[in-house]
Amino acid sequence: MTETKTDDPIEAQEGIQDPPQTLIGILKQLGPGLIIAGSIVGSGELIATTAVGAEAGFTLMWLIIVGCVIKVFAQVEFGRYTIVHGRTTLDGLNEVPGPRIGVNWIVWYWLVMFLFSLAQLGGIVGGVGQAVTISLPVTAAGHDHNAYQDLLIEHRVNNSLLDRAQAESMPTMFEDLQARQAVVSSAIAEIEAPFRDRDAYRQVTREIEQASGNVDAVRPGDSPVAGSDDEAAAELSRLQSEEARLRGPPPANDEMIWATVITAISIVILVLGRYRLIQTFSTLLVAGFTFVTIGTLIHLQSLPEWRVGWDDLVNGLSLGFPESDGSGTASGLATALMAFGIIGVGATELIQYPYWCLEKGYARWVGPRDQSDQWAARARGWLRVMRWDAWASMAVYTFATVAFYLLGAAVLNRAGLNPEGSQMVRTLAEMYVPVFGKSAHAIFLVGAFAVLYSTFFVANASHARVCADAMRVFGLSSGDAKANRFWIMVFCAVLPIICLIVYGFIRAPKQLVLASGLMQAIMLPMLGAAALYFRYRRCDDRLRPSPLWDICLWISGAGLLLAGGWAFFDNISKAF
């Protein structure tokens, strides 16, 4: 059969070619999974996973591992559909039986989830802005705010270590920490003194005293208005946050300035970039920092106060849940199940992965489906390459995920820190202080920039391709090569700007990431059902997988249903 060159809607590639037969040949053809890993090791691992470790300790490590492994079976089925039929993910979802209003109901939910994923990327670009601001503040106000926040974080860590030193009878460590804490406390008091004298601060402290009295007066069952105890507690929490904001140097706009600069640079690279640039760029960014993180975790074993012991690992793999925090919800479990949607291959990555398989060339190299033995042999060969790609990337991001989780549990949980708000990146940097000391922040900030920016960059590149295809599926574009390339360039320019605007209005990176995780978790059962549909209704009989694979695929679908169902009903119950 003669080779043909096709002006592909995504990227021009060579036509039909035989799959590699050797391990070296297979490894040379990997790539789509590495791009997806570049998106995964960022929002999911650096933010969501460490947040779970910070809140729940080691207890939920097993759930994090399951979240990474269980989705690969669905991922491969999505890839199988694309390689066999040469069609996109949205085409496949649009074929799944169910109600239709122009397009399939799953495609409509994808649109809703996609909008929330832009909020996630808003949190990511905000995190990148925070990382650069901590190292390179633009304004004097930004410099003052940095110094103050560093002292607050150190004060909280020292308090936690003092408690541990006292409980574990380490007198030398206790005395050293006491001396350092006195210096830190004095520096904080000196900075806060002029702010505490202001009228606004005095007013909010009076309101806190009054609100505290209201909370003490309200008891469940005694309140004349149902839910008023929750309202009083919420008001007290709001006032305490306001008091914390007023008692020191206020946040500057430095992180927004840097986020804007980074967004502008990203637009240029995305518009001009192609597959090979994106694959190489994302791989290099993630690899460096992941090795630093794993090395940090190994070195922690030499530090008694931070060591991860065998008991901790057994606890993390015991399939248990953390104790309730008193509100009826296990501490960290809600965060874990929201994170379940984005750790490992999240719902967005499941949808995006086949687009990168198309751009790499897997489907084109197989050629149009026919009944010949040659086509079946090529399809089996390239499906084998795709499975290697999926499982190899899973090994990479699972290893990184566990390392980030253990750091969060070993350092942040023990220090009583939780990465959120404007302190998110600064708090995450504390994971590296036990190993790298004062230089930890600089090392972390370079790495945080790498992994967070990798997510922002790759996710926008992926979203642009899916959105360009959505224009065709919704009937808003002809879908030919020229139109598809045009819409990819448009979305490469527009989507980063939308992400920046979202962060401009909502300065809470962790909450933005977890909100997207919730919406992705709800979509996971839909994608699990779609994967089963692809397997039993759209799979060529000559390419049927083994019975063992089918069992694992059903287990994967059940796990996705459980995670998504819990996330949905838990949030509905809280709303009502």
Side-chain angles (χ1 to χ4, degrees):
M1 186 173 291
T2 59
E3 275 194 352
T4 60
K5 270 200 169 184
T6 304
D7 185 14
D8 184 70
I10 300 177
E11 183 74 13
Q13 296 278 353
E14 291 297 327
I16 293 172
Q17 65 182 59
D18 292 330
Q21 301 300 319
T22 65
L23 177 59
I24 297 299
I26 290 174
L27 294 178
K28 288 180 178 179
Q29 295 297 346
L30 304 186
L34 295 176
I35 292 178
I36 292 299
S39 175
I40 291 168
V41 184
S43 59
E45 276 59 18
L46 184 60
I47 298 177
T49 303
T50 51
V52 177
E55 293 182 21
F58 296 95
T59 310
L60 292 176
M61 184 173 73
W62 66 271
L63 183 62
I64 298 300
I65 296 174
V66 169
C68 288
V69 176
I70 200 171
K71 303 168 195 170
V72 179
F73 299 96
Q75 177 187 353
V76 170
E77 288 306 318
F78 276 68
R80 188 196 310 275
Y81 169 85
T82 289
I83 290 175
V84 170
H85 299 283
R87 307 190 71 187
T88 67
T89 310
L90 292 185
D91 282 326
L93 295 179
N94 204 26
E95 294 177 9
V96 176
R100 301 177 66 88
I101 305 177
V103 295
N104 186 284
W105 65 281
I106 299 181
V107 178
W108 281 112
Y109 185 82
W110 162 81
L111 183 61
V112 175
M113 185 198 71
F114 161 71
L115 296 176
F116 274 85
S117 70
L118 293 182
Q120 172 189 351
L121 293 179
I124 294 296
V125 74
V128 177
Q130 286 184 18
V132 181
T133 296
I134 293 171
S135 298
L136 299 170
V138 178
T139 65
H143 183 274
D144 293 343
H145 183 70
N146 275 352
Y148 177 61
Q149 295 298 325
D150 286 341
L151 288 170
L152 291 180
I153 291 289
E154 184 177 358
H155 190 271
R156 290 177 62 186
V157 173
N158 287 344
N159 275 339
S160 178
L161 292 178
L162 280 167
D163 291 340
R164 291 188 60 198
Q166 189 171 32
E168 298 176 16
S169 300
M170 294 184 284
T172 303
M173 178 180 172
F174 184 82
E175 291 173 4
D176 292 342
L177 284 169
Q178 263 193 329
R180 177 57 190 167
Q181 191 71 322
V183 174
V184 173
S185 298
S186 176
I188 291 174
E190 184 178 350
I191 292 173
E192 291 181 349
F195 295 94
R196 290 178 180 270
D197 283 337
R198 295 179 178 178
D199 292 339
Y201 181 83
R202 291 172 178 169
Q203 175 64 26
V204 79
T205 54
R206 288 192 293 268
E207 291 176 5
I208 287 175
E209 291 177 4
Q210 181 179 352
S212 298
N214 292 339
V215 170
D216 292 339
V218 174
R219 292 291 182 267
D222 297 336
S223 174
V225 180
S228 61
D229 51 339
D230 293 333
E231 293 173 5
E235 176 62 12
L236 177 59
S237 177
R238 184 191 69 79
L239 289 171
Q240 289 172 336
S241 297
E242 181 68 5
E243 184 271 340
R245 185 183 69 83
L246 292 174
R247 70 167 178 251
N253 287 320
D254 295 39
E255 64 191 53
M256 194 66 191
I257 294 171
W258 278 115
T260 302
V261 172
I262 290 162
T263 298
I265 295 172
S266 300
I267 290 172
V268 174
I269 299 175
L270 286 167
V271 169
L272 298 178
R274 294 295 183 269
Y275 176 87
R276 191 174 300 279
L277 169 66
I278 294 170
Q279 175 182 316
T280 303
F281 191 63
S282 60
T283 302
L284 292 176
L285 283 176
V286 171
F289 189 51
T290 300
F291 281 121
V292 170
T293 298
I294 294 171
T296 301
L297 184 62
I298 293 172
H299 190 70
L300 280 182
Q301 301 306 103
S302 66
L303 305 174
E305 64 271 30
W306 303 112
R307 180 182 298 137
V308 178
W310 285 111
D311 291 344
D312 296 323
L313 295 177
V314 170
N315 180 33
L317 297 174
S318 62
L319 307 184
F321 295 95
E323 297 179 359
S324 172
D325 58 7
S327 65
T329 301
S331 176
L333 180 59
T335 298
L337 286 167
M338 284 192 289
F340 192 93
I342 51 177
I343 55 177
V345 180
T348 56
E349 286 83 22
L350 282 173
I351 291 170
Q352 293 165 357
Y353 179 69
Y355 288 89
W356 292 114
C357 289
L358 284 171
E359 190 152 345
K360 177 71 174 179
Y362 292 162
R364 185 174 306 103
W365 296 334
V366 170
R369 183 183 175 200
D370 58 38
Q371 297 304 312
S372 68
D373 292 340
Q374 291 86 348
W375 180 90
R378 284 196 307 274
R380 279 191 289 269
W382 285 112
L383 285 172
R384 181 173 64 249
V385 173
M386 185 268 294
R387 287 193 296 270
W388 269 87
D389 182 75
W391 285 106
S393 64
M394 186 277 294
V396 171
Y397 60 68
T398 300
F399 204 56
T401 299
V402 172
F404 281 120
Y405 181 86
L406 291 175
L407 275 181
V411 179
L412 299 184
N413 179 262
R414 290 169 175 172
L417 298 174
N418 195 356
E420 57 187 349
S422 62
Q423 291 190 351
M424 181 192 72
V425 171
R426 185 176 280 102
T427 302
L428 290 171
E430 290 299 317
M431 296 189 298
Y432 299 81
V433 169
V435 173
F436 295 105
K438 292 299 181 180
S439 62
H441 284 194
I443 293 172
F444 172 79
L445 293 174
V446 172
F449 176 85
V451 295
L452 290 174
Y453 183 70
S454 173
T455 294
F456 182 69
F457 179 82
V458 174
N460 273 298
S462 301
H463 280 317
R465 284 151 175 80
V466 181
C467 287
D469 187 46
M471 297 297 288
R472 175 186 60 83
V473 173
F474 280 93
L476 302 176
S477 168
S478 64
D480 59 31
K482 185 176 180 180
N484 201 72
R485 174 55 59 188
F486 168 78
W487 283 112
I488 286 177
M489 294 180 68
V490 168
F491 284 115
C492 279
V494 171
L495 295 182
I497 295 174
I498 295 175
C499 299
L500 180 67
I501 292 172
V502 169
Y503 182 70
F505 284 97
I506 307 175
R507 303 284 186 92
K510 174 187 167 184
Q511 284 68 28
L512 289 172
V513 169
L514 291 179
S516 173
L518 171 62
M519 298 304 292
Q520 292 193 51
I522 292 173
M523 191 170 191
L524 287 176
M526 307 176 200
L527 298 181
L532 291 169
Y533 175 80
F534 295 156
R535 163 63 187 89
Y536 291 101
R537 292 291 182 266
R538 301 292 284 135
C539 181
D540 190 297
D541 287 341
R542 295 169 292 177
L543 305 175
R544 283 182 298 179
S546 67
L548 178 59
W549 178 271
D550 286 342
I551 292 172
C552 292
L553 181 61
W554 277 99
I555 293 173
S556 174
L560 300 184
L561 175 63
L562 179 64
W566 188 95
F568 176 77
F569 287 110
D570 179 66
N571 281 271
I572 290 295
S573 64
K574 288 178 180 177
F576 296 99

